[in-house]
Each structure stands twice: as C-alpha cells, then as structure tokens.
Coordinates of all heavy atoms in Angstrom, one line a residue:
M1 N 45.1 -12.1 -7.6 CA 46.1 -12.9 -6.8 C 46.9 -11.9 -6.0 O 47.5 -11.0 -6.6 CB 46.9 -13.8 -7.6 CG 46.2 -15.1 -8.0 SD 47.4 -16.4 -8.4 CE 47.4 -16.2 -10.2
S2 N 47.0 -12.1 -4.7 CA 47.9 -11.2 -4.0 C 49.2 -11.9 -3.6 O 49.2 -13.1 -3.3 CB 47.2 -10.8 -2.7 OG 46.9 -11.9 -1.9
A3 N 50.2 -11.1 -3.7 CA 51.5 -11.7 -3.4 C 51.7 -11.9 -1.9 O 51.2 -11.1 -1.0 CB 52.6 -10.8 -3.8
V4 N 52.3 -13.0 -1.5 CA 52.5 -13.4 -0.1 C 53.9 -13.1 0.3 O 54.8 -13.6 -0.4 CB 52.1 -14.8 0.2 CG1 52.3 -15.2 1.6 CG2 50.7 -15.1 -0.3
D5 N 54.1 -12.3 1.3 CA 55.4 -12.1 1.8 C 55.9 -13.3 2.7 O 55.1 -14.0 3.2 CB 55.5 -10.8 2.6 CG 55.5 -9.6 1.7 OD1 56.0 -9.7 0.6 OD2 54.9 -8.6 2.1
G6 N 57.2 -13.4 2.8 CA 57.7 -14.4 3.7 C 58.1 -15.7 2.9 O 58.2 -15.6 1.7
P7 N 58.2 -16.8 3.6 CA 58.6 -18.0 3.0 C 57.7 -18.4 1.8 O 56.5 -18.2 2.0 CB 58.6 -19.1 4.1 CG 58.6 -18.3 5.3 CD 58.0 -16.9 5.0
S8 N 58.3 -18.9 0.8 CA 57.4 -19.4 -0.4 C 56.5 -20.5 0.1 O 57.0 -21.4 0.7 CB 58.4 -19.8 -1.5 OG 57.6 -20.5 -2.5
P9 N 55.3 -20.4 -0.3 CA 54.3 -21.5 0.0 C 54.5 -22.7 -0.8 O 54.0 -23.8 -0.5 CB 53.0 -20.8 -0.2 CG 53.2 -19.8 -1.2 CD 54.6 -19.3 -1.1
G10 N 55.2 -22.5 -2.0 CA 55.3 -23.6 -2.9 C 56.4 -24.6 -2.5 O 57.2 -24.3 -1.5
P11 N 56.5 -25.7 -3.2 CA 57.5 -26.7 -2.8 C 58.9 -26.3 -3.2 O 59.9 -26.8 -2.7 CB 57.1 -28.0 -3.6 CG 56.3 -27.4 -4.8 CD 55.7 -26.1 -4.3
R12 N 59.0 -25.3 -4.1 CA 60.3 -24.8 -4.5 C 60.5 -23.4 -4.1 O 59.5 -22.6 -4.1 CB 60.4 -24.9 -6.1 CG 60.3 -26.4 -6.5 CD 60.6 -26.5 -8.0 NE 60.4 -27.8 -8.4 CZ 59.4 -28.2 -9.2 NH1 58.5 -27.4 -9.6 NH2 59.3 -29.5 -9.5
E13 N 61.7 -23.1 -3.8 CA 62.0 -21.7 -3.3 C 62.2 -20.7 -4.5 O 62.1 -19.5 -4.3 CB 63.2 -21.7 -2.4 CG 64.4 -22.2 -3.1 CD 65.6 -22.3 -2.1 OE1 65.8 -21.3 -1.4 OE2 66.4 -23.3 -2.2
T14 N 62.4 -21.3 -5.7 CA 62.6 -20.4 -6.8 C 61.7 -20.7 -7.9 O 61.4 -21.9 -8.2 CB 64.1 -20.6 -7.3 OG1 65.0 -20.6 -6.2 CG2 64.5 -19.5 -8.3
D15 N 61.1 -19.7 -8.5 CA 60.2 -19.9 -9.7 C 61.0 -20.5 -10.9 O 62.1 -20.1 -11.1 CB 59.7 -18.5 -10.1 CG 58.3 -18.3 -9.5 OD1 57.8 -19.2 -8.7 OD2 57.7 -17.3 -9.9
C16 N 60.3 -21.3 -11.7 CA 60.9 -21.8 -12.9 C 61.2 -20.6 -13.8 O 62.3 -20.6 -14.4 CB 59.9 -22.7 -13.6 SG 59.7 -24.3 -12.8
D17 N 60.3 -19.6 -13.8 CA 60.6 -18.4 -14.7 C 61.9 -17.7 -14.3 O 62.6 -17.3 -15.1 CB 59.4 -17.4 -14.5 CG 58.2 -17.9 -15.3 OD1 58.3 -18.8 -16.1 OD2 57.1 -17.3 -15.1
E18 N 62.1 -17.6 -13.0 CA 63.3 -17.0 -12.5 C 64.5 -17.8 -12.8 O 65.5 -17.2 -13.2 CB 63.2 -16.8 -11.0 CG 64.2 -15.8 -10.4 CD 64.3 -15.7 -8.9 OE1 63.2 -16.0 -8.3 OE2 65.3 -15.4 -8.4
V19 N 64.4 -19.1 -12.7 CA 65.5 -20.0 -13.0 C 65.9 -19.8 -14.5 O 67.1 -19.6 -14.9 CB 65.2 -21.4 -12.7 CG1 66.3 -22.4 -13.2 CG2 65.1 -21.6 -11.2
I20 N 64.9 -19.9 -15.4 CA 65.1 -19.8 -16.8 C 65.7 -18.4 -17.1 O 66.6 -18.3 -17.9 CB 63.8 -20.1 -17.6 CG1 63.3 -21.5 -17.4 CG2 64.1 -19.8 -19.1 CD1 64.3 -22.6 -17.7
D21 N 65.2 -17.4 -16.5 CA 65.6 -16.1 -16.7 C 67.1 -15.9 -16.4 O 67.8 -15.2 -17.0 CB 64.7 -15.2 -15.8 CG 64.9 -13.7 -16.2 OD1 64.8 -13.4 -17.4 OD2 65.2 -12.9 -15.3
R22 N 67.5 -16.6 -15.4 CA 68.9 -16.5 -14.9 C 69.8 -17.6 -15.4 O 71.0 -17.6 -15.1 CB 68.9 -16.4 -13.4 CG 68.1 -15.3 -12.8 CD 68.3 -15.1 -11.3 NE 68.3 -13.7 -11.0 CZ 69.3 -13.1 -10.5 NH1 70.4 -13.7 -10.1 NH2 69.3 -11.8 -10.2
L23 N 69.2 -18.5 -16.1 CA 70.0 -19.7 -16.6 C 71.2 -19.3 -17.4 O 72.3 -19.8 -17.2 CB 69.1 -20.6 -17.4 CG 69.6 -22.0 -17.8 CD1 69.9 -22.8 -16.5 CD2 68.6 -22.7 -18.6
Y24 N 71.1 -18.3 -18.3 CA 72.1 -17.9 -19.1 C 73.3 -17.3 -18.4 O 74.5 -17.6 -18.6 CB 71.6 -17.0 -20.2 CG 70.5 -17.6 -21.0 CD1 69.2 -17.3 -20.7 CD2 70.8 -18.6 -22.0 CE1 68.1 -18.0 -21.4 CE2 69.8 -19.2 -22.6 CZ 68.4 -18.9 -22.3 OH 67.4 -19.6 -23.0
A25 N 72.9 -16.4 -17.4 CA 74.0 -15.8 -16.6 C 74.6 -16.9 -15.8 O 75.8 -16.9 -15.5 CB 73.4 -14.7 -15.7
F26 N 73.8 -17.8 -15.3 CA 74.3 -19.0 -14.5 C 75.3 -19.8 -15.3 O 76.4 -20.1 -14.8 CB 73.1 -19.8 -14.1 CG 73.5 -21.1 -13.3 CD1 73.9 -21.0 -12.0 CD2 73.4 -22.3 -13.9 CE1 74.2 -22.2 -11.3 CE2 73.7 -23.5 -13.2 CZ 74.1 -23.4 -11.9
L27 N 75.0 -20.1 -16.5 CA 75.9 -20.9 -17.4 C 77.1 -20.1 -17.8 O 78.2 -20.6 -18.0 CB 75.1 -21.4 -18.6 CG 74.1 -22.5 -18.3 CD1 73.3 -22.8 -19.5 CD2 74.8 -23.8 -17.8
D28 N 76.9 -18.8 -17.9 CA 78.0 -17.9 -18.4 C 78.9 -17.6 -17.2 O 79.9 -16.9 -17.4 CB 77.5 -16.7 -19.0 CG 77.0 -16.9 -20.4 OD1 77.5 -17.9 -21.1 OD2 76.1 -16.2 -20.9
H29 N 78.5 -18.0 -16.0 CA 79.2 -17.7 -14.8 C 79.3 -16.2 -14.6 O 80.2 -15.6 -14.2 CB 80.7 -18.2 -14.8 CG 80.7 -19.7 -15.0 ND1 80.3 -20.6 -14.1 CD2 81.1 -20.4 -16.1 CE1 80.4 -21.8 -14.5 NE2 80.9 -21.8 -15.8
E30 N 78.2 -15.6 -15.1 CA 78.1 -14.1 -15.0 C 77.5 -13.7 -13.6 O 77.5 -12.5 -13.3 CB 77.2 -13.6 -16.1 CG 78.0 -13.3 -17.4 CD 77.1 -12.9 -18.5 OE1 75.9 -12.7 -18.3 OE2 77.6 -12.8 -19.7
L31 N 77.0 -14.7 -12.9 CA 76.5 -14.3 -11.6 C 77.7 -14.2 -10.7 O 78.5 -15.1 -10.5 CB 75.6 -15.5 -11.0 CG 74.3 -15.7 -11.8 CD1 73.5 -16.8 -11.2 CD2 73.5 -14.4 -11.8
S32 N 77.9 -13.0 -10.2 CA 79.1 -12.7 -9.4 C 79.0 -13.3 -8.0 O 78.0 -13.9 -7.6 CB 79.3 -11.2 -9.3 OG 78.2 -10.6 -8.6
T33 N 80.0 -13.1 -7.2 CA 80.1 -13.6 -5.9 C 78.9 -13.0 -5.1 O 78.4 -13.7 -4.2 CB 81.4 -13.2 -5.2 OG1 82.3 -12.7 -6.1 CG2 81.9 -14.3 -4.4
A34 N 78.5 -11.8 -5.4 CA 77.4 -11.2 -4.7 C 76.1 -12.0 -5.0 O 75.1 -11.9 -4.2 CB 77.2 -9.8 -5.2
D35 N 76.1 -12.8 -6.1 CA 74.9 -13.5 -6.4 C 75.0 -15.0 -6.0 O 74.3 -15.9 -6.5 CB 74.6 -13.5 -7.9 CG 74.3 -12.1 -8.4 OD1 73.6 -11.4 -7.7 OD2 74.8 -11.7 -9.5
E36 N 75.9 -15.3 -5.1 CA 76.2 -16.7 -4.7 C 74.9 -17.4 -4.2 O 74.7 -18.5 -4.5 CB 77.2 -16.7 -3.6 CG 78.5 -17.5 -4.0 CD 79.6 -17.3 -2.9 OE1 79.3 -17.8 -1.8 OE2 80.6 -16.8 -3.3
V37 N 74.1 -16.6 -3.5 CA 72.8 -17.2 -3.0 C 72.0 -17.7 -4.2 O 71.4 -18.7 -4.2 CB 72.1 -16.2 -2.2 CG1 70.7 -16.8 -1.7 CG2 72.9 -15.8 -1.0
D38 N 72.0 -16.8 -5.3 CA 71.2 -17.2 -6.4 C 71.7 -18.4 -7.1 O 71.0 -19.3 -7.6 CB 71.2 -16.0 -7.4 CG 70.3 -14.9 -6.9 OD1 69.3 -15.1 -6.2 OD2 70.6 -13.7 -7.2
V39 N 73.1 -18.5 -7.2 CA 73.7 -19.6 -7.8 C 73.3 -20.9 -7.1 O 72.9 -21.9 -7.7 CB 75.2 -19.5 -7.8 CG1 75.9 -20.8 -8.3 CG2 75.7 -18.3 -8.7
G40 N 73.3 -20.8 -5.8 CA 72.9 -22.0 -5.0 C 71.4 -22.3 -5.2 O 71.0 -23.5 -5.3
R41 N 70.6 -21.3 -5.3 CA 69.1 -21.5 -5.4 C 68.9 -22.2 -6.8 O 68.1 -23.1 -6.9 CB 68.4 -20.2 -5.3 CG 68.2 -19.8 -3.9 CD 67.1 -18.7 -3.8 NE 67.3 -17.7 -4.9 CZ 66.4 -16.8 -5.2 NH1 65.3 -16.8 -4.6 NH2 66.7 -15.9 -6.1
I42 N 69.5 -21.6 -7.8 CA 69.3 -22.2 -9.2 C 69.8 -23.6 -9.2 O 69.1 -24.5 -9.8 CB 70.1 -21.3 -10.2 CG1 69.4 -19.9 -10.3 CG2 70.1 -22.0 -11.6 CD1 70.1 -18.9 -11.1
Q43 N 71.0 -23.9 -8.7 CA 71.5 -25.2 -8.7 C 70.5 -26.2 -8.0 O 70.2 -27.3 -8.5 CB 72.9 -25.2 -7.9 CG 73.6 -26.6 -8.1 CD 73.8 -27.0 -9.5 OE1 74.5 -26.3 -10.2 NE2 73.2 -28.0 -10.0
R44 N 70.0 -25.8 -6.8 CA 69.1 -26.6 -6.1 C 67.8 -26.8 -6.9 O 67.2 -27.9 -6.9 CB 68.7 -26.0 -4.7 CG 69.7 -26.3 -3.6 CD 69.1 -26.1 -2.3 NE 68.7 -24.7 -2.1 CZ 69.5 -23.8 -1.8 NH1 70.8 -24.0 -1.6 NH2 69.1 -22.5 -1.6
H45 N 67.3 -25.7 -7.5 CA 66.1 -25.9 -8.3 C 66.3 -26.9 -9.5 O 65.5 -27.7 -9.7 CB 65.7 -24.5 -8.9 CG 64.4 -24.5 -9.6 ND1 63.3 -24.0 -9.1 CD2 64.2 -24.9 -10.9 CE1 62.3 -24.2 -10.0 NE2 62.8 -24.7 -11.1
L46 N 67.5 -26.8 -10.1 CA 67.7 -27.7 -11.3 C 67.8 -29.1 -10.8 O 67.4 -30.1 -11.5 CB 69.1 -27.3 -11.9 CG 69.1 -26.0 -12.7 CD1 70.5 -25.6 -13.2 CD2 68.1 -26.0 -13.9
D47 N 68.3 -29.3 -9.5 CA 68.4 -30.6 -9.0 C 67.0 -31.3 -8.8 O 66.9 -32.5 -8.9 CB 69.1 -30.6 -7.6 CG 70.6 -30.4 -7.7 OD1 71.1 -30.6 -8.9 OD2 71.2 -30.1 -6.7
E48 N 66.0 -30.5 -8.6 CA 64.7 -31.0 -8.3 C 63.6 -30.7 -9.3 O 62.5 -31.1 -9.2 CB 64.2 -30.6 -6.9 CG 64.1 -29.1 -6.8 CD 63.8 -28.7 -5.3 OE1 64.2 -29.4 -4.4 OE2 63.2 -27.6 -5.1
C49 N 64.0 -29.9 -10.4 CA 63.0 -29.6 -11.4 C 63.4 -30.1 -12.7 O 64.3 -29.5 -13.4 CB 62.8 -28.1 -11.4 SG 61.5 -27.5 -12.5
A50 N 62.8 -31.2 -13.2 CA 63.1 -31.8 -14.4 C 63.0 -30.9 -15.7 O 63.9 -30.8 -16.5 CB 62.3 -33.1 -14.7
P51 N 61.9 -30.1 -15.8 CA 61.8 -29.2 -17.0 C 62.9 -28.2 -17.0 O 63.4 -28.0 -18.1 CB 60.4 -28.5 -16.8 CG 59.7 -29.5 -15.9 CD 60.7 -30.1 -15.0
C52 N 63.3 -27.6 -15.9 CA 64.3 -26.6 -15.9 C 65.7 -27.3 -16.2 O 66.5 -26.7 -16.9 CB 64.4 -25.9 -14.6 SG 63.0 -24.7 -14.5
L53 N 65.9 -28.5 -15.7 CA 67.1 -29.2 -15.9 C 67.3 -29.5 -17.4 O 68.4 -29.4 -17.9 CB 67.1 -30.5 -15.1 CG 68.4 -31.3 -15.1 CD1 69.5 -30.6 -14.5 CD2 68.2 -32.7 -14.4
R54 N 66.2 -29.9 -18.0 CA 66.2 -30.2 -19.5 C 66.5 -28.9 -20.2 O 67.3 -29.0 -21.2 CB 64.8 -30.7 -19.9 CG 64.9 -31.6 -21.2 CD 63.7 -32.4 -21.3 NE 62.5 -31.6 -21.3 CZ 61.4 -32.0 -20.6 NH1 61.4 -33.0 -19.9 NH2 60.3 -31.2 -20.6
E55 N 66.0 -27.8 -19.8 CA 66.2 -26.5 -20.4 C 67.7 -26.2 -20.3 O 68.4 -25.8 -21.2 CB 65.4 -25.5 -19.7 CG 65.1 -24.2 -20.5 CD 64.3 -24.6 -21.7 OE1 63.3 -25.3 -21.6 OE2 64.6 -24.1 -22.8
R56 N 68.3 -26.5 -19.1 CA 69.7 -26.3 -18.9 C 70.5 -27.2 -19.8 O 71.5 -26.7 -20.4 CB 70.0 -26.6 -17.4 CG 71.3 -26.1 -16.8 CD 72.5 -26.9 -17.1 NE 72.4 -28.3 -17.0 CZ 72.8 -29.0 -15.9 NH1 73.3 -28.3 -14.9 NH2 72.6 -30.3 -15.8
D57 N 70.1 -28.5 -19.9 CA 70.9 -29.4 -20.8 C 70.9 -28.9 -22.2 O 71.9 -29.0 -22.9 CB 70.2 -30.8 -20.7 CG 70.6 -31.4 -19.3 OD1 71.4 -30.9 -18.6 OD2 69.9 -32.4 -19.0
V58 N 69.7 -28.5 -22.7 CA 69.6 -28.0 -24.1 C 70.5 -26.8 -24.3 O 71.3 -26.8 -25.3 CB 68.1 -27.6 -24.4 CG1 68.1 -26.8 -25.7 CG2 67.2 -28.8 -24.5
E59 N 70.6 -25.9 -23.4 CA 71.4 -24.8 -23.5 C 72.9 -25.2 -23.5 O 73.7 -24.6 -24.3 CB 71.1 -23.8 -22.4 CG 71.9 -22.5 -22.4 CD 71.7 -21.7 -23.7 OE1 70.6 -21.9 -24.3 OE2 72.5 -20.9 -24.1
V60 N 73.2 -26.1 -22.7 CA 74.6 -26.6 -22.6 C 75.0 -27.2 -24.0 O 76.1 -27.0 -24.5 CB 74.8 -27.7 -21.5 CG1 76.1 -28.4 -21.6 CG2 74.7 -27.0 -20.1
V61 N 74.1 -28.0 -24.5 CA 74.4 -28.7 -25.8 C 74.5 -27.6 -26.9 O 75.5 -27.7 -27.7 CB 73.2 -29.7 -26.2 CG1 73.3 -30.1 -27.7 CG2 73.2 -30.9 -25.3
V62 N 73.6 -26.7 -26.9 CA 73.7 -25.6 -27.9 C 75.1 -24.9 -27.8 O 75.7 -24.6 -28.8 CB 72.6 -24.5 -27.7 CG1 72.8 -23.3 -28.5 CG2 71.3 -25.2 -28.1
R63 N 75.5 -24.6 -26.6 CA 76.8 -23.9 -26.4 C 77.9 -24.8 -26.9 O 78.9 -24.2 -27.5 CB 77.0 -23.7 -24.9 CG 76.4 -22.4 -24.5 CD 76.0 -22.4 -23.0 NE 75.0 -21.3 -22.8 CZ 75.4 -20.1 -22.3 NH1 76.6 -19.9 -21.9 NH2 74.5 -19.2 -22.1
Q64 N 77.9 -26.1 -26.7 CA 78.9 -27.0 -27.2 C 79.0 -26.9 -28.7 O 80.1 -26.9 -29.3 CB 78.7 -28.4 -26.7 CG 79.1 -28.5 -25.2 CD 78.6 -29.9 -24.6 OE1 77.8 -30.6 -25.3 NE2 79.0 -30.2 -23.4
V65 N 77.8 -27.0 -29.3 CA 77.8 -27.0 -30.8 C 78.3 -25.7 -31.3 O 79.1 -25.6 -32.3 CB 76.3 -27.2 -31.3 CG1 76.2 -27.0 -32.8 CG2 75.9 -28.6 -30.9
V66 N 77.9 -24.6 -30.7 CA 78.3 -23.3 -31.2 C 79.8 -23.1 -31.0 O 80.5 -22.6 -31.8 CB 77.6 -22.2 -30.4 CG1 78.2 -20.8 -30.7 CG2 76.1 -22.2 -30.8
K67 N 80.3 -23.6 -29.8 CA 81.7 -23.5 -29.5 C 82.5 -24.3 -30.6 O 83.6 -23.8 -31.0 CB 82.0 -24.2 -28.1 CG 83.1 -23.6 -27.4 CD 83.1 -24.1 -26.0 CE 84.5 -24.0 -25.3 NZ 84.5 -24.6 -24.0
R68 N 82.0 -25.5 -31.0 CA 82.7 -26.3 -32.0 C 82.8 -25.5 -33.3 O 83.8 -25.5 -34.0 CB 82.0 -27.6 -32.1 CG 83.0 -28.8 -32.2 CD 82.2 -30.1 -32.1 NE 81.7 -30.4 -30.8 CZ 80.7 -31.2 -30.5 NH1 80.1 -31.8 -31.5 NH2 80.3 -31.4 -29.3
A69 N 81.6 -24.9 -33.6 CA 81.6 -24.1 -34.9 C 82.5 -23.0 -34.8 O 83.1 -22.5 -35.8 CB 80.1 -23.7 -35.1
C70 N 82.7 -22.4 -33.6 CA 83.5 -21.3 -33.4 C 85.0 -21.6 -33.5 O 85.8 -20.7 -33.8 CB 83.3 -20.7 -32.0 SG 82.1 -19.3 -31.9
A71 N 85.3 -22.9 -33.4 CA 86.7 -23.3 -33.5 C 87.3 -22.9 -34.8 O 88.5 -22.5 -34.9 CB 86.8 -24.8 -33.2
S72 N 86.5 -23.0 -35.9 CA 87.0 -22.7 -37.2 C 86.6 -21.2 -37.6 O 87.5 -20.4 -38.0 CB 86.4 -23.6 -38.3 OG 85.0 -23.7 -38.1
D73 N 85.4 -20.9 -37.4 CA 84.9 -19.6 -37.7 C 83.8 -19.2 -36.7 O 83.0 -20.0 -36.4 CB 84.3 -19.6 -39.1 CG 84.1 -18.1 -39.6 OD1 84.5 -17.2 -38.9 OD2 83.6 -18.0 -40.7
C74 N 83.9 -18.0 -36.1 CA 83.0 -17.7 -35.1 C 81.5 -17.8 -35.5 O 81.1 -17.3 -36.6 CB 83.2 -16.3 -34.5 SG 82.7 -16.2 -32.8
A75 N 80.7 -18.6 -34.8 CA 79.3 -18.8 -35.1 C 78.5 -17.5 -34.9 O 78.6 -16.9 -33.9 CB 78.8 -19.9 -34.3
P76 N 77.8 -17.2 -36.0 CA 76.9 -16.0 -35.8 C 75.7 -16.3 -35.0 O 75.4 -17.5 -34.8 CB 76.5 -15.7 -37.3 CG 76.6 -17.1 -38.0 CD 77.7 -17.8 -37.3
E77 N 75.1 -15.3 -34.5 CA 73.9 -15.5 -33.7 C 72.8 -16.3 -34.4 O 72.1 -17.1 -33.8 CB 73.3 -14.1 -33.3 CG 72.2 -14.2 -32.4 CD 72.5 -14.7 -31.0 OE1 73.7 -14.9 -30.6 OE2 71.5 -15.0 -30.2
T78 N 72.8 -16.2 -35.8 CA 71.8 -16.9 -36.6 C 71.9 -18.4 -36.4 O 71.0 -19.1 -36.4 CB 71.8 -16.5 -38.1 OG1 73.2 -16.5 -38.5 CG2 71.2 -15.1 -38.3
L79 N 73.2 -18.8 -36.4 CA 73.4 -20.3 -36.2 C 72.9 -20.8 -34.9 O 72.2 -21.8 -34.8 CB 74.9 -20.6 -36.3 CG 75.4 -22.0 -36.0 CD1 74.8 -22.9 -37.1 CD2 76.9 -22.1 -36.0
R80 N 73.1 -20.0 -33.9 CA 72.6 -20.3 -32.6 C 71.1 -20.4 -32.5 O 70.5 -21.4 -32.0 CB 73.1 -19.2 -31.6 CG 72.9 -19.6 -30.1 CD 73.5 -18.5 -29.2 NE 73.4 -18.9 -27.9 CZ 72.2 -18.7 -27.2 NH1 71.2 -18.2 -27.8 NH2 72.1 -19.0 -25.9
V81 N 70.5 -19.5 -33.2 CA 69.0 -19.5 -33.3 C 68.5 -20.7 -34.0 O 67.6 -21.4 -33.7 CB 68.5 -18.2 -33.9 CG1 67.0 -18.3 -34.2 CG2 68.8 -17.0 -33.0
K82 N 69.3 -21.0 -35.1 CA 68.9 -22.2 -35.9 C 69.0 -23.5 -35.1 O 68.1 -24.3 -35.2 CB 69.9 -22.2 -37.1 CG 69.4 -22.9 -38.3 CD 70.3 -22.7 -39.5 CE 70.6 -23.9 -40.3 NZ 71.7 -23.8 -41.3
I83 N 70.0 -23.6 -34.4 CA 70.2 -24.8 -33.6 C 69.1 -24.9 -32.5 O 68.5 -25.9 -32.3 CB 71.6 -24.8 -32.9 CG1 72.7 -24.9 -33.9 CG2 71.7 -25.9 -31.9 CD1 74.1 -24.5 -33.4
L84 N 68.8 -23.8 -31.9 CA 67.8 -23.7 -30.9 C 66.4 -24.1 -31.5 O 65.7 -24.9 -30.9 CB 67.7 -22.3 -30.3 CG 68.5 -22.1 -29.0 CD1 68.5 -20.6 -28.6 CD2 68.1 -23.0 -27.9
T85 N 66.2 -23.6 -32.7 CA 64.9 -23.9 -33.4 C 64.8 -25.4 -33.6 O 63.8 -26.0 -33.4 CB 64.8 -23.2 -34.7 OG1 65.0 -21.8 -34.4 CG2 63.5 -23.3 -35.3
Q86 N 65.9 -26.0 -34.1 CA 65.9 -27.4 -34.4 C 65.7 -28.2 -33.1 O 64.9 -29.2 -33.1 CB 67.3 -27.8 -35.0 CG 67.4 -27.5 -36.5 CD 68.8 -27.7 -37.0 OE1 69.7 -28.1 -36.3 NE2 69.0 -27.5 -38.3
I87 N 66.3 -27.8 -32.0 CA 66.1 -28.6 -30.8 C 64.7 -28.4 -30.3 O 64.1 -29.4 -29.8 CB 67.1 -28.0 -29.7 CG1 68.5 -28.5 -30.1 CG2 66.8 -28.5 -28.3 CD1 69.6 -27.9 -29.3
T88 N 64.1 -27.3 -30.4 CA 62.8 -27.0 -30.0 C 61.8 -27.9 -30.8 O 60.9 -28.5 -30.3 CB 62.4 -25.6 -30.2 OG1 63.3 -24.8 -29.6 CG2 61.0 -25.3 -29.7
Q89 N 62.1 -28.1 -32.1 CA 61.3 -28.9 -33.0 C 61.4 -30.4 -32.6 O 60.4 -31.1 -32.5 CB 61.7 -28.8 -34.5 CG 61.2 -27.5 -35.1 CD 61.9 -27.2 -36.4 OE1 62.8 -27.8 -36.8 NE2 61.4 -26.2 -37.1
V90 N 62.6 -30.8 -32.3 CA 62.9 -32.2 -31.8 C 62.1 -32.5 -30.5 O 61.4 -33.5 -30.4 CB 64.4 -32.4 -31.6 CG1 64.6 -33.7 -30.9 CG2 65.1 -32.4 -32.9
R91 N 62.1 -31.5 -29.6 CA 61.5 -31.7 -28.3 C 60.0 -31.7 -28.4 O 59.3 -32.4 -27.7 CB 61.9 -30.6 -27.4 CG 63.3 -30.8 -26.9 CD 63.9 -29.4 -26.4 NE 63.4 -29.1 -25.1 CZ 63.2 -27.8 -24.7 NH1 63.5 -26.8 -25.5 NH2 62.8 -27.5 -23.5
S92 N 59.4 -30.9 -29.3 CA 58.0 -30.8 -29.4 C 57.4 -31.9 -30.4 O 56.2 -32.2 -30.4 CB 57.5 -29.4 -29.9 OG 58.1 -29.1 -31.2
G93 N 58.3 -32.4 -31.2 CA 57.8 -33.4 -32.2 C 57.9 -34.8 -31.7 O 57.4 -35.4 -31.0
Ligands
LIG101 ZN1 61.8 -25.3 -12.7

C-alpha cells in the first residue's frame, strides 16, 4: 500500500489510531495551544466516530473512579489497570 499525499481519501480526516493515541493527552489537556488544530480534529472525530467516542467515555469513567479513589488515598496504577480490565471485560462480554 502506498501512502497518498494531500487530502485524506477517507470519510474522516483523522485516523482512529491517531485519535486513540492522542486521547489521553486530549483528556489531560496536555495538547498545548500549538496543538489546537489537533484538539479540533480529535473533537470532530469523536463527534462522528462512535467507537472512538465510546473509548473516550470509558477513559472518562475510569478517571472519575480513580479520582474518587484518590480523594482518600492516591490510587495506584494497578487500580487503574484493574478498572480498565473490568470495563474491557464488560464491553466484550
Ligand atoms: Zn474513530
């Protein structure tokens, strides 16, 4: 497969892979002003791509749970992984 330069031939301007890849930075507001274009692209992609939107929702839920756990004692990374695993099981089951 050869890469095509210029406008994307697909219906979406951003790859799902790219969106997922940047989702965390997007949610963490780590995308700086220099990345404003990316923020817009990711937002637009989420608006029209259900799978990525679901991925975003899951991550948001995980963050809320972890944040709540953090209120008393900071949640270790293992807890986060555990929650993610549970959600993955729920989604696939
Ligand atoms: Zn997508």
Side-chain angles (χ1 to χ4, degrees):
M1 277 201 270
S2 60
V4 180
D5 283 327
S8 167
R12 298 189 183 105
E13 58 182 318
T14 314
D15 262 6
C16 288
D17 284 348
E18 192 186 338
V19 171
I20 298 303
D21 193 48
R22 300 188 143 241
L23 191 60
Y24 304 99
F26 176 73
L27 289 171
D28 282 335
H29 303 291
E30 274 174 7
L31 296 180
S32 64
T33 345
D35 296 319
E36 239 173 63
V37 177
D38 288 329
V39 173
R41 282 195 314 165
I42 291 169
Q43 188 58 63
R44 273 200 301 281
H45 184 100
L46 290 174
D47 283 347
E48 59 189 27
C49 183
C52 285
L53 185 64
R54 203 162 55 226
E55 206 64 45
R56 199 277 316 260
D57 288 346
V58 167
E59 182 62 22
V60 168
V61 168
V62 168
R63 273 151 198 263
Q64 283 168 350
V65 172
V66 171
K67 207 169 160 186
R68 224 169 288 157
C70 263
S72 51
D73 193 5
C74 206
E77 183 67 13
T78 46
L79 174 63
R80 192 174 180 281
V81 172
K82 205 168 136 192
I83 295 164
L84 268 174
T85 307
Q86 281 172 358
I87 288 173
T88 307
Q89 281 167 354
V90 167
R91 284 157 79 210
S92 61

